[in-house]
């Protein structure tokens, strides 16, 4: 799998003439070479439903009079660039108009929803309809007729459909089409059938050809959905609505699955389909480096002009990032991540306990990952199938009540010396308001007050000895044999029409409501939903509570410590008999309506790093510069100083 890829969108209306009229093999090759690209995903079929090559299984775009797909593949292969081939699977606007009976029919607020044809958008098709046979013939035609280096199928996923075919299928099986559980069960079967038939179709011609089914997100906890792919492409355009926290969350989950994966960003200022939109080169440099630091290859999204000429400004932009990446690849291939901490994802937890109504707390994962990144902790994001033996601390964020199966798994982890950090409702039994673990306190119930205050019993960097407001629902506990790390305090009263004070909430009364943060034999419990609160509000107190808890639980076992600032990112990868420490620094800012932008990257200097490693090292040097740097090694701790981090710096310890 190549490190420097481009995903070349080509969704082109039949209303536009002259398709590919300015395509030139030499110009196409020049663009790829300028961009330092070694793989480019090119189009067989777009969302509009047209083929970009002569086709018996489909119809060639009415504005195209030659084999554009074949010409692109030939041009790319001539200069050693791979060519996975794209087919739009879930969207096919041509066939949506001709066969509206094949459309996916969703349900919202109890009413069936059929998309209209009076507004400019695409329409989903159902894989339980004759459309799937039509799609498979197109895939077969491409695999048989072209030297494709893989197949990329887009706009797919498990969808609860109420079309005539799905309804008839349920009735034939004696099931109620109004039963959401039955509809979901069928949706799972339909998607599994689709992926299996795609694999069989391809393997009859080119066994093992790589395939990726793109749904825009890798669902944490659904390994079955991940493993139908030969590799994973983590679609995550920071300016396109995903933000800069999304990719690390996805990458830290998939890096434990044993699959190759890439991070897919875009050259756009915004998102897909933006002609004439460009991000700053520094943004792309950072995004490509962030992928590398998380063990991923990179793919940059572009969209080809209908006339087929590659935009050289785009490939100069991509080349800024890929030139740097090319020089780093020696230290990026075949790596595995080091981690002290495992975050049990709320999304994967919902699947683990069989929750079909969606993720209980979708913000908890994002808040936790942001805290861990800012605190420079080494961590993975895990699910119920993960091996816990490599971690020192497991985080159960905010909402993860304990089932017997989860209790058994975590008990083995605790018996091996691990510890738990839980918050909010996490750590309580699934069907009983009592702790499943020894946190040194008894659970008493929800606080009658909101918000409440926290008075820490420990010093916090950047904060002072006082009480701090926390807005999420507080949980009341009573100290038993635990160590008190901070106290919960009540306000004078809740805000009502007859009782209110000032603009927001009543001040702290100083009245203790028991432990707000407590440590017992099995770990530490925090009595607020601090992770989701940090995602919503970003208050420093939430982060400092979690960081103190983790530092106590890890003790001297923390692998990495650094003075890199809060916006920096650190990872540690193992590659054969050496370690690669990645240091990144950039500060995204919000512009417009909440769009995160990276423009200026200010270098940071004299960054101290210490690593606790299982084996002694003989050499420490900067990569790709190959410049040796001095280090001190004592009692398993390797300490060094990085004089300058300009966006991304790797330090190799051999």
């Amino acid at each position: 799998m190549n490190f420097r890829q481009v995903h070349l969108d080509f969704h082109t209306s039949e209303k536009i003439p002259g398709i590919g009229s300015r395509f030139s093999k030499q110009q196409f090759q020049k663009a790829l070479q300028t961009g330092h690209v070694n793989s480019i995903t090119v189009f067989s079929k777009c969302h509009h439903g047209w083929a970009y090559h002569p086709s018996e299984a489909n119809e060639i775009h009415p504005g195209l009079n030659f084999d554009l797909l074949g010409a692109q593949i030939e041009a790319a292969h001539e200069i050693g660039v791979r060519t996975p081939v794209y087919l739009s699977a879930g969207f096919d606007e041509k066939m949506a108009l001709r066969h509206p009976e094949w459309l996916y029919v969703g349900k919202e607020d109890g009413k069936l929803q059929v998309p209209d044809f009076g507004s400019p958008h695409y329409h989903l098709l159902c894989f339980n309809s004759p459309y799937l046979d039509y799609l498979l013939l197109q895939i077969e035609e491409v695999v048989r007729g072209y030297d494709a280096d893989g197949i990329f199928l887009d706009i797919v996923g498990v969808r609860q459909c109420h079309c005539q075919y799905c309804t008839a299928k349920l009735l034939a099986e004696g099931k109620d089409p109004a039963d959401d559980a039955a509809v979901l069960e069928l949706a799972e079967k339909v998607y599994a059938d689709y992926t299996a038939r795609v694999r069989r179709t391809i393997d009859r011609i080119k066994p093992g050809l790589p395939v990726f089914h793109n749904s825009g997100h890798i669902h944490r906890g659904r390994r079955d959905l991940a493993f139908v792919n030969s590799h994973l492409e983590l679609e995550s355009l920071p300016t396109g609505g995903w933000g800069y926290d999304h990719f690390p969350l996805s990458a830290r989950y998939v890096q434990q699955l044993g699959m190759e994966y890439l991070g897919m960003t875009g050259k756009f200022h915004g998102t897909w389909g933006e002609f004439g939109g460009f991000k700053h080169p520094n943004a792309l440099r950072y995004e490509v480096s962030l992928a590398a630091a998380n063990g991923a290859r990179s793919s940059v999204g572009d969209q080809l002009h209908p006339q087929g000429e590659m935009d050289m400004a785009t490939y100069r932009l991509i080349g800024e990032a890929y030139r740097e990446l090319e020089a780093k690849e020696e230290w990026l291939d075949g790596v595995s991540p080091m981690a002290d901490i495992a975050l049990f994802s709320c999304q994967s937890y919902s699947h683990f306990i069989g929750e079909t109504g969606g993720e209980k707390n979708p913000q908890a994962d994002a808040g936790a990952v942001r805290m861990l990144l800012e605190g420079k902790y080494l961590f993975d994001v895990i699910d119920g199938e993960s091996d816990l033996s490599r971690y020192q601390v497991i985080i159960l964020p905010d909402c993860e009540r304990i089932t017997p199966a989860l209790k058994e798994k975590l008990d083995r982890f605790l018996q091996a010396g691990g510890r738990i950090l839980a918050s909010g409702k996490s750590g309580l039994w699934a069907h009983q308001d009592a702790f499943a673990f020894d946190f040194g306190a008894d659970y008493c119930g929800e606080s009658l007050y909101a918000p409440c205050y926290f008075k820490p019993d420990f010093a916090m960097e950047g904060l002072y000895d006082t009480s701090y407001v926390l807005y999420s629902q507080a949980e009341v506990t009573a100290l038993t044999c635990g160590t008190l790390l901070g106290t919960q305090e009540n306000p004078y009263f809740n805000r009502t029409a007859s009782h209110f004070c000032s603009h927001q909430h009543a001040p702290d009364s100083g009245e203790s409501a028991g432990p707000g943060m407590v440590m017992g034999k099995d770990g530490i419990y925090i009595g607020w939903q601090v992770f989701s609160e940090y995602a919503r509000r970003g208050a420093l107190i939430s982060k400092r509570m979690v960081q103190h808890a983790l530092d106590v639980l890890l003790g001297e076992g923390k692998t990495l410590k650094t003075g890199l600032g809060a916006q920096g990112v650190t990872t540690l990868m193992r590659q054969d008999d050496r370690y690669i420490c990645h240091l990144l620094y950039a500060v995204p800012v919000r512009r417009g309506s909440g769009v995160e932008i990276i423009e200026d990257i200010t270098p940071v200097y004299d960054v101290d790093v210490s690593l606790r490693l299982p084996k002694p090292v003989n050499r420490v040097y900067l990569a790709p510069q190959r410049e040796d740097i001095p280090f001190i090694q004592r009692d398993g701790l390797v300490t060094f100083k990085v004089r300058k981090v300009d966006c991304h710096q790797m330090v190799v310890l051999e």
Side-chain angles (χ1 to χ4, degrees), residues 48-319:
H48 293 276
W50 302 107
Y52 294 94
H53 53 89
S55 175
E56 294 181 4
N58 194 359
E59 298 169 56
I60 192 169
H61 192 291
L64 178 66
N65 60 15
F66 71 102
D67 187 347
L68 178 59
L69 174 64
Q72 290 173 325
I73 292 174
E74 179 184 337
H77 283 180
E78 194 173 280
I79 58 171
V81 175
R82 289 166 57 85
T83 54
V85 175
Y86 175 105
L87 294 96
S88 182
F91 288 153
D92 186 322
E93 197 61 14
K94 169 166 57 69
M95 300 311 286
L97 291 165
R98 295 179 188 178
H99 289 279
E101 72 276 13
W102 294 355
L103 287 175
Y104 159 85
V105 179
K107 189 172 76 169
E108 185 178 329
D109 299 329
K111 298 178 181 178
L112 292 181
Q113 302 290 312
V114 181
D116 70 272
F117 286 92
S119 53
H121 58 72
Y122 302 112
H123 298 80
L124 280 169
L125 291 116
C126 178
F127 290 155
N128 197 33
S129 75
Y131 170 69
L132 179 57
D133 292 328
Y134 173 74
L135 174 65
L136 291 172
L137 289 173
Q138 296 170 351
I139 296 170
E140 180 180 354
E141 181 178 67
V142 169
V143 176
R144 193 179 300 280
Y146 292 91
D147 188 14
D149 293 305
I151 297 294
F152 186 106
L153 297 162
D154 203 9
I155 318 297
V156 301
V158 177
R159 296 195 176 95
Q160 300 176 56
C161 182
H162 299 263
C163 75
Q164 59 170 319
Y165 298 99
C166 291
T167 300
K169 178 71 171 174
L170 289 169
L171 290 172
E173 294 176 350
K175 297 175 181 176
D176 182 1
D179 180 355
D180 289 344
V183 174
L184 177 58
E185 182 183 16
L186 177 61
E188 294 277 2
K189 290 179 180 177
V190 167
Y191 186 69
D193 176 66
Y194 149 77
T195 58
R197 291 184 66 187
V198 167
R199 188 71 263 176
R200 288 197 300 270
T201 297
I202 293 171
D203 286 348
R204 281 196 299 266
I205 308 163
K206 292 184 179 177
L209 187 71
V211 178
F212 179 66
H213 304 270
N214 185 46
S215 59
H217 174 66
I218 305 301
H219 193 293
R220 297 181 295 281
R222 293 298 306 269
R223 296 188 179 209
D224 56 329
L225 299 183
F227 291 157
V228 299
N229 302 288
S230 57
H231 64 282
L232 299 175
E233 305 200 17
L234 311 184
E235 187 177 359
S236 187
L237 282 64
T239 56
W242 283 262
Y244 278 96
D245 288 342
H246 178 266
F247 176 75
L249 174 56
S250 291
R252 300 298 174 99
Y253 173 67
V254 305
Q255 65 188 13
Q256 58 166 322
L257 300 184
M259 303 177 71
E260 289 190 327
Y261 56 99
L262 61 80
M264 181 188 286
T265 183
K267 69 93 178 181
F268 317 104
H269 168 73
T271 191
W272 300 105
E274 181 185 45
F275 292 100
F278 301 87
K279 63 181 47 165
H280 194 282
N282 280 340
L284 201 55
R285 288 178 59 219
Y286 178 79
E287 291 156 22
V288 166
S289 297
L290 184 64
N294 283 280
R297 275 72 167 160
S298 280
S299 177
V300 178
D302 180 26
Q303 179 141 342
L304 183 64
H305 189 277
Q307 293 182 346
E309 183 177 9
M310 301 280 269
D311 181 71
M312 292 306 296
T314 292
Y315 289 86
R316 284 193 288 271
L317 168 62
I318 292 172

Side-chain angles (χ1 to χ4, degrees), residues 457-520:
D457 281 2
F458 52 88
M460 297 179 290
E461 180 188 353
L463 295 175
Y464 305 97
D465 182 15
T466 187
S467 297
Y468 294 88
V469 66
L470 290 165
Y471 291 90
S472 62
Q473 175 62 55
E475 311 294 336
V476 178
T477 60
L479 190 68
T480 54
C481 57
T483 300
L484 186 68
L485 299 177
T487 304
Q488 184 181 138
E489 295 179 344
N490 292 328
Y492 283 98
F493 43 71
N494 287 328
R495 188 176 181 86
T496 67
S498 58
H499 292 77
F500 67 91
C501 178
S502 190
H503 300 295
Q504 293 192 62
H505 48 79
D508 182 13
S509 69
E511 175 191 1
S512 172
M517 185 171 171
V518 62
M519 180 169 66

Side-chain angles (χ1 to χ4, degrees), residues 1-7 28-29 31-41 73 75-84 149 262 297-300 315 318-319 322-323 325-327 329 333:
M1 190 172 162
N2 296 65
F3 274 97
R4 291 167 278 117
Q5 305 191 29
V6 161
H7 187 97
F28 187 77
Q29 292 174 333
L32 298 181
Q33 291 167 334
T34 299
H36 291 253
V37 175
N38 57 13
S39 177
I40 184 165
T41 302
I73 292 174
H77 283 180
E78 194 173 280
I79 58 171
V81 175
R82 289 166 57 85
T83 54
D149 293 305
L262 61 80
R297 275 72 167 160
S298 280
S299 177
V300 178
Y315 289 86
I318 292 172
Y322 276 178
R323 184 185 306 108
L325 182 61
E326 187 173 13
E329 289 176 10
D333 204 12

